[in-house]
Amino acid sequence: MGIYRFGDFELNQDSRALRLGEGEIEVQPLVFDFLAILLRHQERAMSKDELLETLWPGVTVTEASLQRVASLARGILRQGGMETALRNLPRFGYRICLDQPAVLETKSAPVEAGSKPSSPGSAILSASAAVAARKWQDAAAAFAEADAAGELLTADLEEWSLALECMGQPTEAIPFLTRAVTEYGVAGERLRAASPAVTLARIHLERGELAVAKGWHKRAAQLIDSATGSREHGLWCWMGARLMGAEAEPEQALAFAEQAFKVGKHLEDPVVESLGLIYRGFFKLCLGETKSGQEDQDFAAALGLSSDIDPVVGGILYCNILWSCRNFGDWARANQWTSGYENWCKGHGLENLSGSCRLHRAEVLGIHGTLKEAEVLVRAALDQLALDAPWATGDALRVLGDIHLAAGNFAEAETAYRASHAAGWDPQPGLALLQLEQGQAEAAFSALERSLVGNGWPTLQRRGLVLATLAKVAARTDRLERAREVIAELEKEPLRWPMASIRALTAQAKAELFMRENRLAEAARELQLACSCWTEIGSPINVADARLSLAALLIQLGDRIGAELELGSVMAVATKVDSPRLMRRYEELKDLLSDAPKTAVGGA
């Protein structure tokens, strides 16, 4: 035991105090021990296994817990300009590298009045152990007990807030993050105060409170001041990207995300780098840079999830990709990421999936035809979103409408779509498809045209899906020139919309146009292409819809055998997914095939 002096720091092992210059720094017990161990063995690198066993003897924790402790330690060293002294050795461990070796004085020092040593069995140590073990409810309860006993340091308030967020209670974290901003400020640690201020901006944004979020973002900028190369500035830039996105300024959002990525990469901070990169990709997708945007997002997730991130950051990375996949109709990719997200949540103590996760999964299940399970899941998502992301309620209602539409419950679908619109979300293109089913093609056309207006990220990302549906409706309403114009826009930029779903929808729109132009053989080929694309995605309901249209066309062409084959496939799907809508249309065409094999029929 003794005192280590390095740079302007003094670490006293006897009193468990860390000083910078003339003042004492608040430091969590595990972070203090981490620094003490590295100083004790400064002549060599410490492996991850050594550090895990020393810091958590007899407790099974993941490497992510060690990464978080290291991140907090680096933040403390940053206050003395020594963050680069802590080296992360990939696939091995950590080492502290000093220009001048730390001096050890073995004279014991008395416990200072300002220090807060933690005794074995104390609430704060229990809280730290629970955080490391991803037992979030236990952690929150222990933090509350430690707070009552006066054991909390300011950094513990941030950990407490993390536990509450991981429990799906971000609103409950707001007072503790506000306390952290205040306490850091009073202690003169303005830069550290910026981090909880950014977190407050994020939580309020996700609650749909844009004005409050902007206020905390501005407060963070004031605290960061001229420290534009800091981690806190990188997080501030990332939050700026989100705010600009919420204000329908995609170009400015992309610039903020780019800046966050550069700061994170310069600092070799995987949290800031991955957050900047994931949003750089997100807004590239909005602006039509599809391939580059997807590459950014996939790499960001791989970078973040293999590095020093907490469950909240991991959730942000996953959710961001899934929003994009769903908006683009990129269902194969969405299915892969959704499965990965569920497994990741369970591995990080998030047994109760977030509302966003349930929503993502519900839409994927609906696309794959599991309608009843999808409906149960989206209703659960609506309950959870009211707590952790109320801004997404409208999207969840849109998905619920799509599920009812697929099943043929038109009244319920209309109710859900109207509720989605009332919640501030655009329920297209599902609402337009419902209106087609109800014989309201003119209303569908007008609504889709309105959906293309604006620069909000959902509008920009869903543009391909809306355009393809618009082309179909334009043809159905004899606006053939508009249909050709929209199809040309989709086909002249194949790299912008390479997804199989948009190719399928475009093919169906072309089939509708060709039927209006009496080019029936060409229409049949387009419908066969649509069937192939929907099969590639694994969407039996959409395959069945395309087959119904093809069967109707084959009846018109007098091809009884071909029509019977298509209808046989439809019946198998309608039975499997339990869709009364598909069964009704199957029966209508079956009767037509029997009674009037050459009568013209239009597919919906």
Side-chain angles (χ1 to χ4, degrees):
M1 304 294 279
I3 301 172
Y4 284 99
R5 291 191 173 88
F6 55 103
D8 293 327
F9 288 97
E10 178 184 284
L11 185 145
N12 190 320
Q13 297 179 92
D14 301 290
S15 65
R16 294 188 64 80
L18 181 65
R19 301 183 68 83
L20 175 59
E22 298 300 319
E24 185 175 334
I25 297 177
E26 289 189 342
V27 57
Q28 293 170 301
L30 283 169
V31 177
F32 183 94
D33 291 338
F34 176 76
L35 288 171
I37 292 166
L38 292 180
L39 289 168
R40 198 175 305 141
H41 300 280
Q42 58 188 291
E43 75 285 352
R44 67 179 181 89
M46 298 285 290
S47 71
K48 292 178 182 178
D49 289 341
E50 287 180 282
L51 290 165
L52 289 168
E53 180 58 35
T54 305
L55 292 170
W56 293 280
V59 179
T60 301
V61 298
T62 66
E63 286 187 10
S65 299
L66 178 59
Q67 291 170 342
R68 182 155 182 80
V69 168
S71 178
L72 292 170
R74 185 174 284 110
I76 288 172
L77 293 175
R78 186 180 296 118
Q79 296 177 59
M82 298 188 68
E83 65 271 23
T84 59
L86 179 57
R87 302 290 176 82
N88 178 8
L89 307 177
R91 297 181 295 279
F92 182 76
Y94 294 89
R95 182 177 183 179
I96 194 160
C97 300
L98 305 169
D99 293 335
Q100 297 293 328
V103 179
L104 173 62
E105 296 181 6
T106 57
K107 179 179 178 181
S108 179
V111 175
E112 299 183 28
S115 65
K116 297 182 181 180
S118 301
S119 59
S122 70
I124 190 57
L125 289 180
S126 297
S128 297
V131 168
R134 301 294 198 248
K135 296 180 178 179
W136 304 113
Q137 290 187 337
D138 291 348
F143 277 124
E145 184 181 344
D147 192 29
E151 295 182 334
L152 288 190
L153 303 177
T154 307
D156 296 321
L157 293 170
E158 294 183 85
E159 292 287 280
W160 190 357
S161 300
L162 172 65
L164 291 167
E165 285 203 73
C166 291
M167 291 167 58
Q169 299 175 11
T171 301
E172 302 300 318
I174 290 174
F176 304 116
L177 289 164
T178 305
R179 274 177 58 186
V181 175
T182 302
E183 291 184 16
Y184 279 135
V186 169
E189 299 181 67
R190 292 175 60 83
L191 188 57
R192 290 191 72 183
S195 182
V198 170
T199 303
L200 283 164
R202 173 178 57 78
I203 291 175
H204 283 291
L205 178 64
E206 290 171 353
R207 284 168 52 86
E209 298 164 353
L210 180 59
V212 182
K214 289 169 67 177
W216 279 112
H217 190 246
K218 188 171 183 178
R219 174 60 174 146
Q222 186 182 54
L223 292 165
I224 293 166
D225 196 14
S226 61
T228 54
S230 65
R231 181 178 197 266
E232 290 76 9
H233 180 67
L235 292 173
W236 181 85
C237 291
W238 158 70
M239 196 63 231
R242 296 191 63 173
L243 289 169
M244 287 296 101
E247 295 196 302
E249 297 287 353
E251 292 87 358
Q252 292 184 46
L254 179 59
F256 267 114
E258 177 70 32
Q259 194 171 359
F261 166 68
K262 288 180 177 178
V263 171
K265 187 172 184 179
H266 175 72
L267 295 176
E268 297 184 358
D269 186 317
V271 170
V272 178
E273 185 177 355
S274 60
L275 288 173
L277 193 58
I278 202 84
Y279 274 87
R280 188 177 80 175
F282 187 85
F283 290 108
K284 280 183 178 179
L285 290 170
C286 290
L287 296 170
E289 300 177 43
T290 302
K291 183 179 179 182
S292 178
Q294 289 177 328
E295 289 174 349
D296 276 356
Q297 290 199 315
D298 291 338
F299 176 62
L303 169 66
L305 297 171
S306 62
S307 305
D308 179 12
I309 64 168
D310 59 48
V312 171
V313 174
I316 290 170
L317 296 177
Y318 265 124
C319 270
N320 188 280
I321 289 179
L322 289 168
W323 283 111
S324 298
C325 288
R326 291 172 52 235
N327 282 321
F328 267 86
D330 195 353
W331 300 117
R333 192 160 163 259
N335 191 45
Q336 295 172 28
W337 280 114
T338 300
S339 300
Y341 186 15
E342 289 179 342
N343 293 333
W344 187 86
C345 285
K346 292 173 183 176
H348 286 75
L350 306 178
E351 298 300 330
N352 295 321
L353 298 179
S354 70
S356 295
C357 181
R358 288 189 171 103
L359 172 57
H360 300 324
R361 187 60 176 160
E363 187 161 25
V364 170
L365 288 173
I367 289 295
H368 291 308
T370 315
L371 299 180
K372 290 183 177 179
E373 186 179 347
E375 182 180 353
V376 170
L377 199 55
V378 78
R379 290 191 183 281
L382 281 164
D383 292 337
Q384 187 63 32
L385 287 170
L387 298 174
D388 57 31
W391 65 270
T393 298
D395 195 26
L397 289 164
R398 177 193 63 79
V399 173
L400 182 61
D402 289 349
I403 292 167
H404 284 312
L405 175 61
N409 302 322
F410 296 157
E412 291 89 342
E414 183 171 357
T415 298
Y417 287 139
R418 287 183 177 276
S420 173
H421 186 270
W425 204 270
D426 183 7
Q428 300 297 357
L431 177 57
L433 294 174
L434 172 63
Q435 290 169 325
L436 276 187
E437 293 278 0
Q438 296 172 326
Q440 301 171 13
E442 289 293 333
F445 177 81
S446 297
L448 288 167
E449 288 282 25
R450 289 194 300 272
S451 290
L452 295 172
V453 178
N455 281 329
W457 61 265
T459 300
L460 294 176
Q461 290 192 357
R462 294 186 71 79
R463 184 175 177 84
L465 295 174
V466 173
L467 280 173
T469 309
L470 174 62
K472 177 179 179 178
V473 176
R476 185 73 62 86
T477 58
D478 291 320
R479 293 178 171 87
L480 304 189
E481 188 56 39
R482 179 60 174 148
R484 295 187 195 99
E485 180 182 287
V486 174
I487 290 168
E489 179 176 346
L490 288 165
E491 293 189 328
K492 76 179 180 182
E493 295 186 88
L495 295 180
R496 181 171 184 178
W497 291 298
M499 298 77 183
S501 61
I502 296 179
R503 296 202 311 273
L505 289 169
T506 303
Q508 288 172 278
K510 291 176 71 175
E512 191 78 35
L513 175 63
F514 291 160
M515 284 189 281
R516 296 286 167 170
E517 296 175 335
N518 203 31
R519 298 159 63 184
L520 302 187
E522 292 173 82
R525 285 197 291 273
E526 292 297 332
L527 288 172
Q528 288 175 322
L529 174 60
C531 289
S532 177
C533 290
W534 287 123
T535 300
E536 176 187 335
I537 293 168
S539 179
I541 291 177
N542 283 300
V543 172
D545 275 325
R547 289 192 186 283
L548 284 165
S549 296
L550 181 56
L553 182 56
L554 293 174
I555 292 172
Q556 188 175 350
L557 290 168
D559 186 349
R560 292 183 57 88
I561 294 176
E564 287 173 349
L565 284 173
E566 299 301 335
L567 289 176
S569 297
V570 170
M571 184 179 68
V573 172
T575 302
K576 181 178 180 180
V577 304
D578 192 20
S579 171
R581 177 181 68 86
L582 291 177
M583 190 58 74
R584 285 196 301 268
R585 294 183 62 202
Y586 162 80
E587 294 292 348
E588 290 170 2
L589 290 176
K590 190 71 174 176
D591 290 343
L592 183 59
L593 183 63
S594 300
D595 299 339
K598 293 188 179 181
T599 301
V601 177

